[in-house]
Structure formats: C-alpha cells, structure tokens
C-alpha cells in the first residue's frame, strides 16, 4: 500500500530554515547596497549653486568637479589666443546647458589635482556628449587612470 504524505505544510527543518534565512539576508544586503550606491553616486543640484568655470570644469557649491568624458579648450591657461577664445565659447555653452534643466552628477573619484571626477547630466542628457556634439569639446577618456595626451587646440590656428 502506498503511503501519502500529509497535505499540510510542515515547518522548515534546520537546514531549510538556514537556507531561507540566508536567502532573505543576501537579498536584503543586495537591496541595501543598491540604495547606498545610489546615494553615494547621485547628487542633485540642491547641493549648492553650480558654476561653470571652464568648458569642462564646474563648481557645485565649494566642490570643484571635472566632467568625465570630454576635454575642452582652456580659458585661464590657454597656450594661444585661439584656444582662449574657443575656451570662452565652450564655457558659455556649458553655462547655457547647465541652466537649461535639472543637473545630476554621478561621481567617480578624484583626479591628481584633487578635483571630483563626475559624469554630469542635464535632464538625463550627458553633458560631455552634448558638448562634443556642439563642437566645444573632444572625447577624452582615461582607461585605468592613464590619460592620453590632451589635444593641441592651437594647432593650425593662425
């Protein structure tokens, strides 16, 4: 004769209880880590006034931020007058972008000058990409912290 197991639910045994608790604990830790990551990497414009000081550098309150993903011409330490003029145009364009919507930063550490490195977005749009598309910057990436030589904005200027 075939024995049937009861249809009611038996409470979990020691190993089953351990696995169930471990799964809940790991799930909770994963969720908590996502919340902490979001809190550490995303900041809103409410941190203070945002001021563009260069085509690729801004201040958020007292924090100096270098925008990741682009290189713009210099304004204060330009190597030639052409670079300085391009730098002023890039700075003006960056200011207009920052004033056009909600600014969000995703911080990625610091550079050798102590500036915060961050991806910057206006209404969810990548500022570096917008500056490059407008012709005020060039792509600039530092894989593994090794940055390529910066563009010579004075080359061909005359």
């Amino acid at each position: 004769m075939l024995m049937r197991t009861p249809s009611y639910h038996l409470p979990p045994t020691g190993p089953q209880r351990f696995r169930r608790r471990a799964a809940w604990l790991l799930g909770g830790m994963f969720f908590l880590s996502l919340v902490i990551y979001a809190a550490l990497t995303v900041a809103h414009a409410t941190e203070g006034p945002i001021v563009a000081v260069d085509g690729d550098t801004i201040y958020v309150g007292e924090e100096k931020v270098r925008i990741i993903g682009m290189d713009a011409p210099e304004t204060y330490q330009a190597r030639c007058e052409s670079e300085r003029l391009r730098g002023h145009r890039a700075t003006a364009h960056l200011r207009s972008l920052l004033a056009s919507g909600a600014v969000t930063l995703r911080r990625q550490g610091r550079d050798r000058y102590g500036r915060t490195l961050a991806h910057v977005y206006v209404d969810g749009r990548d500022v570096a990409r917008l500056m490059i598309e407008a012709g005020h910057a060039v792509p600039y990436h530092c894989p593994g912290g090794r940055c390529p030589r910066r563009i010579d904005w004075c080359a061909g200027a005359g």
Side-chain angles (χ1 to χ4, degrees), residues 45-95:
T46 57
E47 297 174 354
I50 298 177
V51 179
V53 294
D54 207 338
D56 53 20
T57 307
I58 62 175
Y59 273 97
V60 179
E62 298 290 319
E63 180 183 21
K64 193 171 188 178
V65 178
R66 170 69 160 81
I67 300 172
I68 295 175
M70 70 171 182
D71 181 37
E74 298 296 326
T75 53
Y76 300 105
Q77 295 181 350
R79 290 181 238 156
C80 65
E81 189 58 25
S82 174
E83 181 177 15
R84 185 178 324 285
L85 292 173
R86 289 177 180 183
H88 285 301
R89 286 193 296 267
T91 304
H93 188 72
L94 179 57
R95 287 179 180 149

Side-chain angles (χ1 to χ4, degrees), residues 120-140:
V120 179
Y121 304 91
V122 173
D123 289 337
R125 299 173 299 153
D126 183 14
V127 168
R129 174 179 275 170
L130 295 172
M131 291 289 289
I132 293 165
E133 288 173 356
H136 294 293
V138 294
Y140 191 73

